[in-house]
Amino acid sequence: MRVTTGMIFDSGLMSIQRQTSSLLHTQQQVASGRRILTPSDDPVAAARALEVTQSQEINAQYGENQGAARDALALAENKLTAAGDLLQRIRQLAVQAGNGTLTDKDRRSIAAEMRQLYEGLLGVANSTDDNGRYLFSGYQGDVKPFSGAVETVAAGEIAYDGDDGRRLLQVSASRQLAVSDSGNDVFRRIRNGNGYFVTGANAANIGTGVIDQGKALNPALVFPDDYTITFTVAGSTITYDVTDSSSTSVASGTYVSGDQITIPGVASVVITGTPANGDAFTLTRSSAQSVFKTVADLIDVVEQPVSATSGNTLLTNRLGTALANLDRAQDNFLRVRSDIGARLNELDQLGNAGEDLNLQYQTTLSRLQDVDYAAAITRLTREQTYLEAAQKSFVKVSGLSLFNFV
């Protein structure tokens, strides 16, 4: 084959450029710390690294969602704690209102404070997050859930304009976590009385009989009927008769203050004091009642004037019912707070799992992409030597000429 001077120059130039390109590639690997600078360096590893990077970014997004969920739940828990504190203060005032030495004016002063606490409770129920969305309106974050003054609520029930939904956030690949609660579940669907039935005194009672909240003998069963306990006084003997809603007698006996009165297989109550002839007490099925209705009814009871012994007894009975309803509302707040706490604990566990997963992704990416510095520097030195050799040999070869021998 005939070799021309032009071929020698072209071949030498190509060799130098090739060695320079190889040296530059290795130098960039050392400078960046990455073995794969372009997908062509290792197509399989580059594709795998892309998949791992995408998974890492998705995991990071789950982490951000977990933070948002944690903030929302912590805010809801804080608001429910405030609601519980308000309810506890209302309960203290209710106990204070039962003091027989208080005048009607004193009780009206107590009721005035209760009204302020009612407004505070309503404000908590209408709380918003940092985005202006209502915490307790279900899916409808832009809808104010509750509205109603004490007077209107005492006459009926407070309006709820939200729904029963719970807003969800995707906090892991397989988990959507509720970050809100329905106002119905938190503030309205609260069983009154002892949760099975509600005891009450007839407003026309003139004796001193006071009924407790009673207990269900078989809580696993639905309270079957409404019952009335009617007292008859004959001389020094007081008897009672328990009838159901159809006026059928289901139990009877001689009354002794403080003894249990039992409806066989259903419930038992304790009545203390001395009922008058014809006095009656009721046991009615428990129903759902909002905490606002409970407080509004309590305020109405405290504001009613008390003018006689029978009035004090009626106040005591009604306050007993109100206190039981307040306790049920407090228990419901605690139930919701417990559920929020469980969700916060789950977020902590998911966060720990996400951090472990992110570390695994980083390890995998390092194995796929990171350069081996010992091998890269060795290769860099070798390629530098090759380049210098190519340059020096080109100088030698390019200087050859037949004219040197003429």
Side-chain angles (χ1 to χ4, degrees):
M1 181 179 69
R2 182 171 177 269
V3 179
T4 66
T5 302
M7 291 175 61
I8 292 174
F9 274 86
D10 290 342
S11 178
L13 179 61
M14 290 177 60
S15 177
I16 291 172
Q17 288 179 335
R18 184 169 57 251
Q19 294 299 335
T20 301
S21 177
S22 179
L23 178 65
L24 179 61
H25 186 271
T26 303
Q27 187 274 332
Q28 288 177 333
Q29 287 180 325
V30 173
S32 65
R34 293 297 179 90
R35 180 177 66 88
I36 303 175
L37 299 177
T38 61
S40 61
D41 293 338
D42 189 338
V44 175
R48 176 61 181 148
L50 179 60
E51 293 176 354
V52 175
T53 300
Q54 291 173 339
S55 297
Q56 189 178 38
E57 291 173 352
I58 292 173
N59 186 58
Q61 183 60 58
Y62 289 147
E64 292 181 8
N65 289 356
Q66 290 166 16
R70 189 176 288 106
D71 292 342
L73 291 175
L75 179 60
E77 184 179 31
N78 177 270
K79 294 301 182 181
L80 287 177
T81 300
D85 292 342
L86 290 169
L87 215 60
Q88 182 60 33
R89 176 55 182 163
I90 291 172
R91 194 184 195 286
Q92 292 172 354
L93 292 173
V95 173
Q96 181 182 346
N99 188 331
T101 63
L102 296 181
T103 64
D104 291 344
K105 182 179 179 181
D106 295 332
R107 280 187 290 272
R108 283 195 297 271
S109 297
I110 292 174
E113 183 177 349
M114 286 182 175
R115 284 176 176 271
Q116 294 301 315
L117 294 170
Y118 172 93
E119 293 297 331
L121 191 62
L122 189 61
V124 169
N126 288 326
S127 298
T128 59
D129 60 17
D130 52 358
N131 293 317
R133 293 176 300 183
Y134 291 97
L135 294 177
F136 304 109
S137 60
Y139 289 128
Q140 303 182 51
D142 58 342
V143 175
K144 185 178 180 180
F146 296 102
S147 59
V150 171
E151 291 80 9
T152 59
V153 176
E157 255 295 4
I158 192 165
Y160 175 65
D161 297 320
D163 56 36
D164 289 334
R166 303 171 84 188
R167 293 191 289 273
L168 303 176
L169 266 182
Q170 191 80 36
V171 292
S172 74
S174 58
R175 182 72 168 102
Q176 286 187 324
L177 192 73
V179 296
S180 69
D181 291 276
S182 165
N184 267 334
D185 289 334
V186 179
F187 298 99
R188 295 185 82 229
R189 293 191 182 122
I190 303 170
R191 305 294 294 181
N192 56 5
N194 59 22
Y196 300 96
F197 59 90
V198 183
T199 59
N202 194 318
N205 287 358
I206 58 175
T208 59
V210 176
I211 190 170
D212 72 352
Q213 296 309 305
K215 62 181 179 180
L217 298 183
N218 193 345
L221 299 179
V222 176
F223 197 68
D225 203 350
D226 295 338
Y227 300 92
T228 302
I229 305 173
T230 305
F231 288 88
T232 301
V233 178
S236 60
T237 302
I238 304 176
T239 59
Y240 64 86
D241 184 41
V242 183
T243 57
D244 60 19
S245 58
S246 62
S247 300
T248 301
S249 178
V250 295
S252 60
T254 300
Y255 169 75
V256 177
S257 177
D259 281 1
Q260 282 190 349
I261 296 175
T262 301
I263 302 173
V266 177
S268 65
V269 295
V270 173
I271 297 176
T272 56
T274 306
N277 187 55
D279 282 0
F281 297 86
T282 58
L283 284 71
T284 57
R285 294 184 183 93
S286 180
S287 60
Q289 178 171 301
S290 74
V291 63
F292 306 107
K293 173 69 172 171
T294 294
V295 176
D297 287 347
L298 172 60
I299 293 172
D300 183 61
V301 167
V302 174
E303 287 180 333
Q304 294 299 318
V306 176
S307 57
T309 301
S310 59
N312 278 319
T313 302
L314 181 61
L315 174 66
T316 300
N317 279 302
R318 290 180 172 177
L319 287 176
T321 299
L323 288 172
N325 292 339
L326 288 174
D327 290 342
R328 294 289 299 176
Q330 191 74 276
D331 289 344
N332 194 61
F333 287 165
L334 292 174
R335 176 191 63 80
V336 178
R337 287 180 58 192
S338 177
D339 183 58
I340 290 175
R343 280 177 272 169
L344 286 170
N345 288 337
E346 183 179 356
L347 284 174
D348 290 338
Q349 295 170 0
L350 289 172
N352 293 334
E355 291 175 0
D356 293 341
L357 189 58
N358 186 59
L359 180 60
Q360 179 183 339
Y361 288 145
Q362 290 176 344
T363 302
T364 302
L365 286 174
S366 177
R367 176 176 57 80
L368 292 171
Q369 294 180 324
D370 289 356
V371 70
D372 182 344
Y373 275 99
I377 292 174
T378 300
R379 188 168 63 254
L380 181 66
T381 303
R382 183 176 67 246
E383 290 169 350
Q384 185 177 4
T385 301
Y386 290 163
L387 178 60
E388 290 174 353
Q391 291 171 337
K392 290 181 179 180
S393 63
F394 176 72
V395 171
K396 292 288 186 180
V397 172
S398 63
L400 295 177
S401 174
L402 289 174
F403 291 103
N404 293 334
F405 300 98
V406 175

